[in-house]
């Protein structure tokens, strides 16, 4: 997964939470970057046909962007669940965010065989809690 994938994933999640276009500010906040950096990447995503940006309204993913975002989100879920449920990493969310840009599809596919990913993935991801609902965490109720 690369930086563009992190952006399309973030746009996808914001679109789901907001039920509409993602604002540049919301995108910058989610990715902890400056609005100028977010705007620059939005332009690159537009050039690649992954997003459409309308000034003062926000950015929306194209069909191709949605497919790429769902793939990126699935990879993130795999990493997150592997760190939390297999390695029992306490700060798994922060670690997953750091690792998502360097884990390639081959490694993600191999991790996937270990975690027994639910077929619902990536729809199992809750953007508001920043977690897959199938995470098995202590002191929390695992999903049914």
């Amino acid at each position: 997964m690369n930086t563009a994938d992190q952006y399309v994933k973030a746009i996808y999640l914001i679109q789901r939470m907001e039920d509409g276009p993602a604002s540049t500010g919301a995108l910058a906040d989610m990715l902890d970057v400056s609005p100028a950096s977010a705007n620059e990447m939005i332009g690159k995503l537009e050039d690649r046909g992954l997003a459409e940006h309308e000034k003062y309204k926000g950015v929306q993913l194209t069909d191709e962007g949605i497919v790429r975002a769902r793939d990126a989100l699935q990879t993130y879920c795999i990493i997150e669940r592997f760190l939390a449920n297999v390695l029992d990493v306490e700060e798994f969310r922060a670690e997953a965010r750091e690792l998502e840009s360097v884990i390639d599809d081959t490694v993600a596919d191999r991790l996937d065989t270990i975690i027994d990913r639910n077929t619902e993935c990536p729809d199992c991801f809750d953007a508001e809690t920043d977690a897959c609902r199938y995470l098995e965490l202590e002191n929390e109720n695992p999903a049914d």
Side-chain angles (χ1 to χ4, degrees):
M1 185 185 311
N2 58 37
T3 304
D5 290 332
Q6 290 174 299
Y7 270 84
V8 293
K9 181 187 83 159
I11 293 166
Y12 178 77
L13 292 172
I14 293 168
Q15 281 183 218
R16 280 178 43 185
M17 288 187 298
E18 306 282 325
D19 196 26
S23 72
T24 303
L27 183 59
D29 287 346
M30 182 176 270
L31 293 171
D32 198 25
V33 298
S34 71
S37 293
N39 226 10
E40 183 180 344
M41 181 54 85
I42 288 168
K44 291 177 182 179
L45 295 175
E46 276 191 294
D47 292 345
R48 296 176 189 172
L50 298 173
E52 296 170 347
H53 183 249
E54 193 172 336
K55 206 170 191 175
Y56 306 114
K57 294 205 178 192
V59 61
Q60 288 190 299
L61 296 175
T62 62
D63 290 343
E64 184 180 347
I66 291 170
V67 168
R68 186 131 165 213
R70 289 178 58 81
D71 287 346
L73 183 57
Q74 182 171 298
T75 297
Y76 178 79
C77 285
I78 290 167
I79 296 166
E80 188 179 66
R81 288 192 56 209
F82 179 78
L83 291 171
N85 299 149
V86 177
L87 298 182
D88 199 26
V89 173
E90 191 171 317
E91 297 295 325
F92 66 90
R93 286 183 181 106
E95 292 292 333
R97 280 188 219 104
E98 292 292 321
L99 289 171
E100 72 179 319
S101 64
V102 295
I103 298 288
D104 67 14
D105 290 340
T106 302
V107 173
D109 288 344
R110 290 180 182 167
L111 294 176
D112 189 19
T113 64
I114 296 169
I115 65 163
D116 191 30
R117 179 177 43 88
N118 189 292
T119 56
E120 186 184 349
C121 187
D123 296 321
C124 57
F125 191 82
D126 181 356
E128 292 185 22
T129 62
D130 190 29
C132 170
R133 83 177 75 141
Y134 294 105
L135 282 172
E136 297 164 13
L137 304 175
E138 290 181 27
N139 302 325
E140 292 185 27
N141 294 329
D144 298 333

